[in-house]
């Protein structure tokens, strides 16, 4: 089955710790994205990547970091610098970024900071 | 920056009723997408629109790309319990690298 997987589904972290969220896709998509969703809110873009070894900041990149070493993988690290990291994190992918940017989402990871 | 206004924010309807929601933009978009999100899950793409005036159906769902290219509408006919969830619109302007998302419409259905 083609799709996007995110792991883990639930993640707990102590304040001051970095944590890495996994995102893998087997859709052969070039572009990948990370969004943050807070309760009752829409989606806010954290980072995106058009191709391997390249990524750009989204609207709320502070306190987050990413890497894109493989086409299939786009992990997100939530650093201790992120002041309010408790949220639902969504990964998405699309064929490209400029046209026909139909983004397909993974199931999400809910991060809770204790 | 670009903003999307999605309305209504929430809807409470009876099973079997038709539903209508819309999104308006402050700028022209070349792409409109509609998603549905169930609680605790990722959004699922329902309909994609690429041409002004385009009307596209997916089962009981119908979406339209507004003629002005600044709005889009989603209609659901004969609602059923599994239609419950949050519906998001998203748009992309020509040359833009990012989608802009609406705040969502929460649909609740009374059986």
């Amino acid at each position: 089955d083609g799709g996007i997987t995110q792991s883990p589904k639930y993640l707990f972290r102590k304040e001051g710790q970095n944590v890495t969220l996994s995102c893998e896709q087997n859709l052969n998509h070039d572009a990948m994205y990370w969004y943050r969703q807070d309760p009752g809110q829409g989606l806010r873009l954290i980072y995106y990547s058009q191709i391997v070894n390249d990524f750009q900041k989204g609207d709320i990149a502070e306190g987050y970091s990413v890497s894109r070493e493989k086409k299939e993988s786009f992990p997100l690290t939530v650093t201790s610098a992120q002041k309010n990291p408790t949220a639902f994190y969504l990964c998405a992918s699309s064929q490209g970024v400029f046209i026909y940017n139909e983004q397909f989402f993974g199931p999400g990871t809910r991060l809770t900071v204790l | 920056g670009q903003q999307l206004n999605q309305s209504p924010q929430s809807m409470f309807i009876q099973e079997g009723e038709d539903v209508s929601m819309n999104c308006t933009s402050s700028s022209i978009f070349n792409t409109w997408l509609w998603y549905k999100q169930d609680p605790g899950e990722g959004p699922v793409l329902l309909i994609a629109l690429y041409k002004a005036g385009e009307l596209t159906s997916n089962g009981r769902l119908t979406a339209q790309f507004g003629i002005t290219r600044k709005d889009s509408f989603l209609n659901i006919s004969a609602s059923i319990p599994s239609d419950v969830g949050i519906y998001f619109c998203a748009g992309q302007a020509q040359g833009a690298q990012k989608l802009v998302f609406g705040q969502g419409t929460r649909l609740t259905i009374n059986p």
Side-chain angles (χ1 to χ4, degrees), chain B residues 71-87:
Chain B
D71 57 8
S72 181
F73 304 87
L74 176 69
N75 295 316
I76 305 172
S77 63
S79 59
I80 59 178
S82 62
D83 291 333
V84 167
I86 302 176
Y87 292 80

Side-chain angles (χ1 to χ4, degrees), chain B residues 11-92:
Chain B
M11 302 182 73
F12 298 86
I13 64 170
Q14 299 294 323
E15 184 177 351
E17 289 185 13
D18 295 344
V19 172
S20 184
M21 61 190 77
N22 70 85
C23 276
T24 58
S25 167
S26 57
S27 55
I28 291 175
F29 282 175
N30 282 359
T31 300
W32 283 99
L33 306 174
W34 284 93
Y35 291 87
K36 177 178 184 272
Q37 185 178 28
D38 291 328
E41 300 295 330
V44 174
L45 182 64
L46 299 173
I47 293 177
L49 303 162
Y50 297 103
K51 296 181 182 179
E54 180 180 1
L55 188 69
T56 298
S57 294
N58 178 4
R60 293 178 294 104
L61 278 63
T62 301
Q64 184 165 21
F65 193 137
I67 291 293
T68 65
R69 299 172 70 185
K70 291 186 176 182
D71 57 8
S72 181
F73 304 87
L74 176 69
N75 295 316
I76 305 172
S77 63
S79 59
I80 59 178
S82 62
D83 291 333
V84 167
I86 302 176
Y87 292 80
F88 288 100
C89 62
Q92 184 168 8

